[in-house]
Coordinates of all heavy atoms in Angstrom, one line a residue:
M21 N 57.6 46.3 2.5 CA 58.3 47.4 3.1 C 57.4 48.7 2.8 O 57.1 48.9 1.6 CB 59.6 47.5 2.4 CG 60.5 48.6 3.0 SD 62.1 48.7 2.3 CE 62.7 47.1 2.5
G22 N 57.1 49.4 3.8 CA 56.3 50.6 3.6 C 57.1 51.8 3.0 O 58.3 51.8 3.1
K23 N 56.3 52.7 2.5 CA 57.0 53.9 1.8 C 57.7 54.7 2.8 O 58.7 55.4 2.5 CB 55.9 54.8 1.1 CG 55.4 54.1 -0.1 CD 54.6 55.1 -0.9 CE 54.2 54.4 -2.2 NZ 53.7 55.4 -3.2
S24 N 57.4 54.7 4.1 CA 58.1 55.5 5.1 C 59.4 54.9 5.6 O 60.2 55.6 6.2 CB 57.2 55.7 6.4 OG 56.9 54.4 7.0
E25 N 59.7 53.7 5.2 CA 60.9 53.0 5.6 C 62.1 53.5 4.7 O 61.9 53.6 3.5 CB 60.8 51.5 5.5 CG 60.0 50.9 6.6 CD 60.1 49.4 6.5 OE1 61.2 48.8 6.6 OE2 59.0 48.8 6.3
V26 N 63.2 53.9 5.3 CA 64.3 54.3 4.6 C 65.2 53.1 4.4 O 65.6 52.4 5.4 CB 65.1 55.4 5.3 CG1 66.4 55.8 4.6 CG2 64.2 56.6 5.5
V27 N 65.6 52.8 3.2 CA 66.5 51.7 2.9 C 67.9 52.3 2.7 O 68.1 53.1 1.8 CB 66.1 50.9 1.6 CG1 67.1 49.8 1.3 CG2 64.7 50.4 1.8
P28 N 68.9 51.9 3.5 CA 70.2 52.4 3.4 C 70.8 52.0 2.1 O 70.7 50.8 1.6 CB 71.0 51.9 4.5 CG 70.2 50.8 5.1 CD 68.8 51.0 4.6
E29 N 71.5 52.9 1.4 CA 72.2 52.5 0.1 C 73.6 52.0 0.4 O 74.4 52.7 1.0 CB 72.3 53.7 -0.8 CG 72.8 53.4 -2.1 CD 72.6 54.6 -3.1 OE1 71.7 55.3 -3.0 OE2 73.6 54.7 -3.9
K30 N 73.8 50.8 0.1 CA 75.1 50.1 0.3 C 75.6 49.4 -1.0 O 74.8 49.2 -1.9 CB 74.9 49.0 1.4 CG 74.6 49.6 2.7 CD 74.5 48.4 3.7 CE 74.2 49.0 5.1 NZ 74.2 47.9 6.1
V31 N 76.8 49.1 -1.0 CA 77.4 48.3 -2.1 C 78.1 47.1 -1.5 O 78.6 47.2 -0.4 CB 78.4 49.2 -3.0 CG1 77.6 50.3 -3.7 CG2 79.5 49.7 -2.2
A32 N 78.1 46.0 -2.3 CA 78.8 44.8 -1.8 C 79.6 44.2 -2.9 O 79.3 44.3 -4.1 CB 77.7 43.8 -1.3
W33 N 80.7 43.6 -2.5 CA 81.6 42.9 -3.4 C 81.2 41.4 -3.4 O 81.3 40.8 -2.3 CB 83.0 43.1 -3.0 CG 84.0 42.6 -3.9 CD1 84.0 42.6 -5.3 CD2 85.3 42.0 -3.6 NE1 85.2 42.0 -5.8 CE2 86.0 41.7 -4.7 CE3 85.9 41.7 -2.3 CZ2 87.2 41.0 -4.7 CZ3 87.1 41.1 -2.3 CH2 87.8 40.8 -3.5
V34 N 80.8 40.8 -4.5 CA 80.5 39.4 -4.6 C 81.6 38.8 -5.5 O 81.5 39.0 -6.7 CB 79.1 39.2 -5.1 CG1 78.8 37.7 -5.2 CG2 78.0 39.9 -4.3
L35 N 82.5 38.1 -4.9 CA 83.6 37.4 -5.6 C 83.2 35.9 -5.7 O 83.1 35.2 -4.7 CB 84.9 37.6 -4.9 CG 86.1 36.9 -5.5 CD1 86.4 37.4 -6.8 CD2 87.3 37.0 -4.6
V36 N 83.1 35.5 -6.9 CA 82.8 34.0 -7.2 C 84.0 33.5 -8.0 O 84.4 34.0 -9.0 CB 81.6 33.9 -8.0 CG1 81.3 32.4 -8.3 CG2 80.4 34.5 -7.4
R37 N 84.6 32.5 -7.4 CA 85.8 31.9 -8.0 C 85.8 30.4 -7.8 O 85.6 29.9 -6.7 CB 87.1 32.5 -7.5 CG 88.3 31.9 -8.2 CD 89.6 32.7 -7.9 NE 89.5 34.0 -8.4 CZ 90.1 35.1 -7.9 NH1 90.8 34.9 -6.8 NH2 90.0 36.3 -8.4
D38 N 85.9 29.6 -8.9 CA 85.9 28.1 -8.8 C 84.6 27.6 -8.0 O 84.7 26.7 -7.2 CB 87.2 27.6 -8.1 CG 88.4 28.0 -8.8 OD1 88.4 28.0 -10.1 OD2 89.5 28.2 -8.2
G39 N 83.5 28.2 -8.3 CA 82.2 27.8 -7.7 C 82.1 28.2 -6.3 O 81.2 27.7 -5.6
R40 N 83.0 29.0 -5.7 CA 82.9 29.4 -4.3 C 82.7 30.9 -4.2 O 83.1 31.6 -5.1 CB 84.2 29.0 -3.6 CG 84.4 27.5 -3.7 CD 85.7 27.1 -3.1 NE 85.5 27.1 -1.6 CZ 86.4 26.7 -0.8 NH1 87.6 26.3 -1.2 NH2 86.2 26.7 0.5
V41 N 82.0 31.3 -3.2 CA 81.7 32.7 -3.0 C 82.5 33.2 -1.7 O 82.4 32.6 -0.7 CB 80.2 32.9 -2.8 CG1 79.9 34.4 -2.6 CG2 79.4 32.4 -4.0
L42 N 83.1 34.4 -1.9 CA 83.8 35.0 -0.7 C 82.8 35.7 0.2 O 82.0 36.5 -0.3 CB 84.8 36.0 -1.2 CG 85.5 36.8 -0.1 CD1 86.5 35.9 0.7 CD2 86.2 38.0 -0.7
V43 N 82.8 35.3 1.5 CA 82.1 36.0 2.5 C 83.0 36.2 3.7 O 84.1 35.6 3.7 CB 80.8 35.2 3.0 CG1 79.8 35.1 1.9 CG2 81.2 33.8 3.5
T44 N 82.6 37.1 4.5 CA 83.4 37.4 5.7 C 82.6 37.5 6.9 O 81.3 37.5 6.8 CB 84.2 38.8 5.5 OG1 85.2 38.9 6.5 CG2 83.3 40.0 5.4
R45 N 83.2 37.6 8.1 CA 82.4 37.8 9.3 C 83.3 38.4 10.3 O 84.6 38.4 10.2 CB 81.9 36.5 9.9 CG 82.9 35.5 10.4 CD 82.3 34.2 10.8 NE 83.3 33.2 11.1 CZ 83.7 32.8 12.3 NH1 83.2 33.4 13.3 NH2 84.6 31.9 12.4
N46 N 82.7 39.1 11.3 CA 83.5 39.7 12.4 C 83.9 38.6 13.4 O 83.2 37.6 13.6 CB 82.7 40.8 13.1 CG 82.4 41.9 12.1 OD1 83.2 42.2 11.3 ND2 81.3 42.6 12.3
R47 N 85.0 38.8 14.0 CA 85.5 37.8 15.0 C 84.5 37.7 16.1 O 83.9 38.6 16.6 CB 86.8 38.4 15.6 CG 87.5 37.4 16.5 CD 88.8 38.0 17.0 NE 89.6 38.4 15.8 CZ 90.8 38.0 15.6 NH1 91.5 37.4 16.5 NH2 91.4 38.4 14.5
G48 N 84.2 36.4 16.5 CA 83.3 36.1 17.6 C 81.8 36.2 17.2 O 80.9 36.1 18.0
V49 N 81.5 36.3 15.9 CA 80.2 36.4 15.4 C 79.9 35.3 14.4 O 80.8 35.0 13.6 CB 79.9 37.8 14.7 CG1 78.5 37.9 14.2 CG2 80.1 38.9 15.7
D50 N 78.8 34.7 14.4 CA 78.5 33.6 13.5 C 77.8 34.0 12.2 O 77.5 33.2 11.3 CB 77.6 32.5 14.2 CG 78.4 31.8 15.3 OD1 79.6 31.7 15.2 OD2 77.7 31.4 16.2
V51 N 77.5 35.3 12.0 CA 76.8 35.8 10.8 C 77.9 36.2 9.7 O 78.8 36.9 10.0 CB 76.0 37.0 11.1 CG1 75.3 37.5 9.9 CG2 74.9 36.6 12.2
F52 N 77.7 35.6 8.5 CA 78.6 35.9 7.4 C 77.9 37.0 6.5 O 76.7 37.0 6.4 CB 78.9 34.7 6.6 CG 79.8 33.7 7.3 CD1 79.3 32.8 8.2 CD2 81.1 33.7 7.0 CE1 80.1 32.0 8.9 CE2 82.0 32.9 7.7 CZ 81.5 32.0 8.6
Y53 N 78.7 37.8 5.8 CA 78.2 38.8 4.9 C 79.2 39.0 3.8 O 80.3 38.7 3.8 CB 77.9 40.1 5.7 CG 79.1 40.7 6.3 CD1 79.9 41.7 5.7 CD2 79.5 40.4 7.6 CE1 81.0 42.2 6.3 CE2 80.6 40.9 8.2 CZ 81.4 41.9 7.5 OH 82.5 42.4 8.1
F54 N 78.7 39.7 2.7 CA 79.5 40.1 1.6 C 80.3 41.3 2.0 O 79.7 42.2 2.6 CB 78.7 40.4 0.3 CG 78.0 39.2 -0.2 CD1 76.7 39.1 -0.4 CD2 78.8 38.1 -0.7 CE1 76.0 38.0 -0.9 CE2 78.2 37.0 -1.3 CZ 76.8 37.0 -1.4
P55 N 81.6 41.4 1.7 CA 82.3 42.7 2.0 C 81.7 43.9 1.3 O 81.2 43.7 0.2 CB 83.7 42.4 1.5 CG 83.8 40.9 1.3 CD 82.4 40.5 1.0
G56 N 81.6 45.0 2.0 CA 81.1 46.2 1.4 C 80.5 47.1 2.5 O 80.8 46.9 3.6
G57 N 79.8 48.1 2.1 CA 79.2 49.0 3.1 C 78.6 50.2 2.5 O 78.3 50.3 1.3
K58 N 78.4 51.2 3.3 CA 77.7 52.4 2.9 C 78.6 53.4 2.2 O 79.8 53.5 2.5 CB 77.1 53.1 4.1 CG 76.1 52.4 4.9 CD 75.6 53.2 6.1 CE 74.6 52.4 6.8 NZ 74.1 53.1 8.0
R59 N 78.0 54.0 1.1 CA 78.7 55.0 0.3 C 78.9 56.2 1.1 O 78.0 56.7 1.8 CB 77.9 55.2 -0.9 CG 78.6 56.2 -1.9 CD 77.8 56.4 -3.1 NE 77.7 55.2 -3.9 CZ 76.6 54.5 -4.1 NH1 75.5 54.9 -3.6 NH2 76.6 53.4 -4.9
E60 N 80.1 56.8 1.1 CA 80.3 58.1 1.7 C 80.0 59.2 0.7 O 80.1 58.9 -0.5 CB 81.8 58.2 2.2 CG 82.0 57.3 3.4 CD 83.4 57.5 4.0 OE1 84.2 58.2 3.5 OE2 83.7 56.8 5.0
S61 N 79.8 60.4 1.1 CA 79.4 61.5 0.2 C 80.4 61.6 -0.9 O 81.6 61.7 -0.7 CB 79.3 62.8 1.0 OG 79.0 63.8 0.2
G62 N 79.9 61.6 -2.1 CA 80.7 61.8 -3.3 C 81.4 60.6 -3.8 O 82.1 60.7 -4.9
E63 N 81.3 59.5 -3.2 CA 82.0 58.2 -3.6 C 81.2 57.5 -4.7 O 80.0 57.5 -4.7 CB 82.2 57.2 -2.5 CG 83.3 57.4 -1.6 CD 83.5 56.3 -0.6 OE1 82.5 55.7 -0.1 OE2 84.6 56.1 -0.2
S64 N 82.0 57.0 -5.7 CA 81.3 56.1 -6.6 C 81.2 54.7 -6.0 O 81.8 54.4 -5.0 CB 82.2 56.0 -7.9 OG 83.4 55.3 -7.6
D65 N 80.5 53.8 -6.7 CA 80.4 52.4 -6.2 C 81.8 51.8 -6.1 O 82.1 51.1 -5.1 CB 79.6 51.5 -7.2 CG 78.1 51.9 -7.1 OD1 77.7 52.6 -6.2 OD2 77.4 51.4 -8.0
A66 N 82.6 52.0 -7.1 CA 84.0 51.4 -7.1 C 84.8 51.9 -6.0 O 85.5 51.2 -5.3 CB 84.7 51.6 -8.5
E67 N 84.8 53.2 -5.8 CA 85.5 53.9 -4.7 C 85.1 53.3 -3.3 O 85.9 53.1 -2.4 CB 85.4 55.4 -4.7 CG 86.1 56.0 -5.9 CD 85.7 57.5 -6.1 OE1 84.6 57.9 -5.7 OE2 86.5 58.2 -6.7
T68 N 83.7 53.2 -3.2 CA 83.2 52.7 -1.9 C 83.7 51.3 -1.7 O 84.2 50.9 -0.6 CB 81.7 52.7 -2.0 OG1 81.2 54.0 -2.2 CG2 81.1 52.1 -0.7
L69 N 83.6 50.4 -2.7 CA 84.1 49.0 -2.5 C 85.6 49.0 -2.2 O 86.0 48.2 -1.4 CB 83.8 48.2 -3.8 CG 82.3 47.8 -3.9 CD1 82.1 47.0 -5.2 CD2 81.9 46.9 -2.7
A70 N 86.4 49.7 -2.9 CA 87.8 49.7 -2.7 C 88.1 50.1 -1.3 O 88.9 49.5 -0.6 CB 88.5 50.7 -3.7
R71 N 87.5 51.1 -0.8 CA 87.7 51.6 0.6 C 87.2 50.5 1.6 O 87.9 50.2 2.6 CB 86.9 52.9 0.9 CG 87.1 53.4 2.3 CD 86.3 54.7 2.5 NE 84.9 54.6 2.1 CZ 83.9 54.0 2.8 NH1 84.2 53.4 3.9 NH2 82.7 54.0 2.3
E72 N 86.0 50.0 1.4 CA 85.5 49.0 2.3 C 86.3 47.7 2.3 O 86.5 47.1 3.4 CB 84.0 48.7 2.0 CG 83.0 49.8 2.3 CD 82.8 50.0 3.8 OE1 83.1 49.1 4.6 OE2 82.3 51.1 4.2
I73 N 86.7 47.3 1.2 CA 87.6 46.1 1.1 C 88.9 46.3 1.9 O 89.4 45.4 2.6 CB 87.8 45.6 -0.3 CG1 86.5 45.1 -0.9 CG2 88.9 44.6 -0.5 CD1 86.4 44.9 -2.4
A74 N 89.5 47.5 1.7 CA 90.7 47.8 2.4 C 90.5 47.8 3.9 O 91.3 47.2 4.7 CB 91.2 49.2 2.0
E75 N 89.3 48.3 4.4 CA 89.0 48.4 5.8 C 88.7 47.0 6.4 O 89.2 46.6 7.4 CB 87.8 49.3 6.0 CG 88.1 50.8 5.8 CD 86.8 51.7 5.9 OE1 85.7 51.1 6.2 OE2 87.0 52.9 5.6
E76 N 87.9 46.2 5.7 CA 87.4 45.0 6.2 C 88.3 43.8 6.0 O 88.4 42.9 6.8 CB 86.0 44.6 5.6 CG 84.9 45.6 5.9 CD 83.6 45.3 5.2 OE1 83.5 44.3 4.5 OE2 82.7 46.2 5.4
L77 N 89.0 43.8 4.8 CA 89.8 42.6 4.5 C 91.3 43.0 4.4 O 92.1 42.1 4.2 CB 89.4 42.1 3.1 CG 87.9 41.7 3.0 CD1 87.6 41.2 1.6 CD2 87.6 40.6 4.0
Q78 N 91.7 44.2 4.7 CA 93.1 44.7 4.6 C 93.7 44.2 3.2 O 94.8 43.7 3.2 CB 93.9 44.1 5.7 CG 93.6 44.8 7.1 CD 92.3 44.3 7.7 OE1 92.1 43.1 7.8 NE2 91.5 45.2 8.1
S79 N 92.9 44.4 2.2 CA 93.3 44.0 0.8 C 93.0 45.1 -0.1 O 92.2 46.0 0.1 CB 92.6 42.7 0.4 OG 92.9 41.6 1.2
R80 N 93.6 45.1 -1.3 CA 93.3 46.0 -2.4 C 92.7 45.3 -3.5 O 93.0 44.1 -3.7 CB 94.6 46.7 -2.9 CG 95.2 47.6 -1.8 CD 96.4 48.3 -2.3 NE 97.1 47.6 -3.4 CZ 98.2 48.1 -4.0 NH1 98.6 49.2 -3.7 NH2 98.8 47.4 -4.9
V81 N 91.8 46.0 -4.2 CA 91.1 45.4 -5.3 C 91.3 46.3 -6.5 O 91.3 47.5 -6.4 CB 89.6 45.1 -5.0 CG1 88.9 46.4 -4.8 CG2 89.0 44.3 -6.1
D82 N 91.5 45.7 -7.7 CA 91.6 46.5 -8.9 C 90.2 46.9 -9.4 O 89.4 46.1 -9.9 CB 92.3 45.7 -10.0 CG 92.5 46.5 -11.3 OD1 92.0 47.6 -11.4 OD2 93.1 45.9 -12.2
T83 N 89.8 48.2 -9.2 CA 88.5 48.6 -9.5 C 88.1 48.4 -11.0 O 86.9 48.3 -11.3 CB 88.2 50.1 -9.1 OG1 89.2 50.9 -9.7 CG2 88.3 50.2 -7.6
A84 N 89.1 48.4 -11.8 CA 88.9 48.2 -13.3 C 88.3 46.8 -13.6 O 87.7 46.6 -14.6 CB 90.2 48.4 -14.1
T85 N 88.5 45.8 -12.7 CA 87.9 44.5 -12.9 C 86.5 44.3 -12.3 O 85.9 43.2 -12.5 CB 88.9 43.4 -12.2 OG1 88.8 43.6 -10.8 CG2 90.3 43.6 -12.7
M86 N 86.0 45.3 -11.7 CA 84.6 45.2 -11.1 C 83.6 45.3 -12.2 O 83.7 46.0 -13.2 CB 84.4 46.3 -10.1 CG 85.2 46.3 -8.9 SD 84.8 47.6 -7.8 CE 86.0 47.3 -6.5
V87 N 82.5 44.5 -12.0 CA 81.4 44.5 -13.0 C 80.1 44.7 -12.2 O 79.9 44.0 -11.2 CB 81.3 43.1 -13.7 CG1 80.1 43.1 -14.6 CG2 82.5 42.8 -14.5
H88 N 79.3 45.7 -12.6 CA 78.1 46.0 -11.9 C 77.1 44.9 -12.3 O 76.8 44.7 -13.5 CB 77.6 47.4 -12.3 CG 76.3 47.7 -11.6 ND1 75.1 47.6 -12.2 CD2 76.1 48.3 -10.4 CE1 74.1 48.0 -11.3 NE2 74.7 48.4 -10.2
V89 N 76.5 44.2 -11.3 CA 75.6 43.1 -11.6 C 74.2 43.6 -11.5 O 73.3 43.3 -12.3 CB 75.8 42.0 -10.5 CG1 74.7 40.9 -10.7 CG2 77.2 41.4 -10.7
G90 N 73.8 44.5 -10.6 CA 72.5 45.0 -10.5 C 72.1 45.3 -9.0 O 72.8 44.8 -8.1
P91 N 71.0 46.0 -8.8 CA 70.6 46.3 -7.5 C 70.1 45.0 -6.7 O 69.5 44.2 -7.4 CB 69.6 47.3 -7.6 CG 69.0 47.1 -9.0 CD 70.2 46.6 -9.8
L92 N 70.4 45.0 -5.5 CA 69.8 43.9 -4.6 C 68.8 44.5 -3.7 O 69.0 45.7 -3.2 CB 70.9 43.3 -3.8 CG 72.0 42.5 -4.6 CD1 73.1 42.1 -3.6 CD2 71.4 41.3 -5.3
R93 N 67.8 43.8 -3.4 CA 66.8 44.3 -2.5 C 66.6 43.2 -1.4 O 67.0 42.0 -1.7 CB 65.4 44.5 -3.2 CG 65.4 45.5 -4.3 CD 65.4 46.9 -3.8 NE 65.3 47.8 -4.9 CZ 66.3 48.6 -5.3 NH1 67.5 48.5 -4.7 NH2 66.2 49.4 -6.3
R94 N 66.1 43.5 -0.3 CA 65.9 42.5 0.7 C 65.0 41.4 0.1 O 64.0 41.7 -0.5 CB 65.1 43.2 1.9 CG 65.6 42.7 3.2 CD 64.9 43.4 4.3 NE 65.8 44.5 4.8 CZ 65.4 45.4 5.6 NH1 64.1 45.4 6.1 NH2 66.2 46.3 6.1
G95 N 65.4 40.2 0.1 CA 64.6 39.1 -0.4 C 65.1 38.7 -1.8 O 64.6 37.7 -2.3
G96 N 66.1 39.3 -2.4 CA 66.6 38.9 -3.7 C 67.0 39.9 -4.6 O 66.9 41.1 -4.4
I97 N 67.4 39.5 -5.8 CA 67.9 40.4 -6.9 C 66.6 40.9 -7.6 O 65.7 40.2 -7.9 CB 68.8 39.7 -7.8 CG1 70.0 39.2 -7.1 CG2 69.2 40.6 -9.0 CD1 71.0 38.4 -8.0
T98 N 66.6 42.2 -7.9 CA 65.5 42.8 -8.7 C 65.6 42.4 -10.1 O 66.7 41.9 -10.6 CB 65.5 44.3 -8.6 OG1 66.7 44.8 -9.1 CG2 65.4 44.8 -7.1
T99 N 64.6 42.6 -10.9 CA 64.5 42.1 -12.3 C 65.4 42.9 -13.2 O 65.6 42.5 -14.4 CB 63.1 42.1 -12.8 OG1 62.6 43.4 -12.7 CG2 62.3 41.1 -12.0
D100 N 65.9 44.1 -12.8 CA 66.7 44.9 -13.7 C 68.2 44.5 -13.7 O 69.0 45.1 -14.4 CB 66.6 46.4 -13.5 CG 66.9 46.8 -12.1 OD1 67.0 45.9 -11.2 OD2 67.1 48.0 -11.9
A101 N 68.6 43.4 -13.1 CA 69.9 42.9 -13.2 C 70.1 42.3 -14.6 O 69.2 41.7 -15.1 CB 70.2 41.8 -12.1
P102 N 71.3 42.5 -15.2 CA 71.5 42.0 -16.5 C 71.5 40.5 -16.6 O 71.9 39.8 -15.6 CB 72.9 42.5 -16.9 CG 73.6 42.9 -15.6 CD 72.5 43.2 -14.6
S103 N 71.0 39.9 -17.7 CA 71.0 38.5 -17.8 C 72.4 37.9 -18.1 O 73.3 38.6 -18.6 CB 70.1 38.0 -18.9 OG 70.6 38.5 -20.1
S104 N 72.7 36.7 -17.7 CA 74.0 36.1 -18.0 C 74.0 35.2 -19.2 O 75.0 34.5 -19.4 CB 74.4 35.3 -16.7 OG 73.5 34.3 -16.5
G105 N 72.9 35.2 -20.0 CA 72.9 34.3 -21.1 C 73.0 34.9 -22.4 O 73.2 34.5 -23.4

């Protein structure tokens, strides 16, 4: 990726439960994605996710239960994500 390319800043909710990962898709589309989206001016990550989950899934999430995992880049997780061990 060149320096002139602008990478949009987004947040995503990755819910893993019982070895399964929650993904969503729009009606009539075969592409799945993690719920989330672009941060609006002045929003925190948690506020962005709460708003996006409400919009996309018509659900509420307790922001106190969210854990920041680390930044994602195209092609995978960057090395500054916390270890799980």
Side-chain angles (χ1 to χ4, degrees):
M21 184 178 310
K23 288 188 176 196
S24 63
E25 288 186 57
V26 175
V27 178
E29 189 171 322
K30 296 182 178 183
V31 295
W33 185 41
V34 181
L35 175 64
V36 180
R37 186 169 291 153
D38 298 327
R40 300 176 79 176
V41 178
L42 174 71
V43 292
T44 189
R45 67 183 170 103
N46 294 328
R47 188 177 306 229
V49 179
D50 292 334
V51 177
F52 289 83
Y53 60 92
F54 294 119
K58 293 180 184 176
R59 182 180 294 112
E60 291 183 357
S61 179
E63 276 185 329
S64 68
D65 289 349
E67 291 167 335
T68 301
L69 284 176
R71 178 181 51 76
E72 289 287 344
I73 290 166
E75 291 173 3
E76 295 175 8
L77 304 177
Q78 291 75 50
S79 297
R80 293 184 330 176
V81 64
D82 180 358
T83 58
T85 66
M86 292 180 184
V87 176
H88 183 262
V89 174
L92 296 174
R93 303 281 185 253
R94 223 179 258 171
I97 297 176
T98 61
T99 58
D100 57 345
S103 66
S104 61

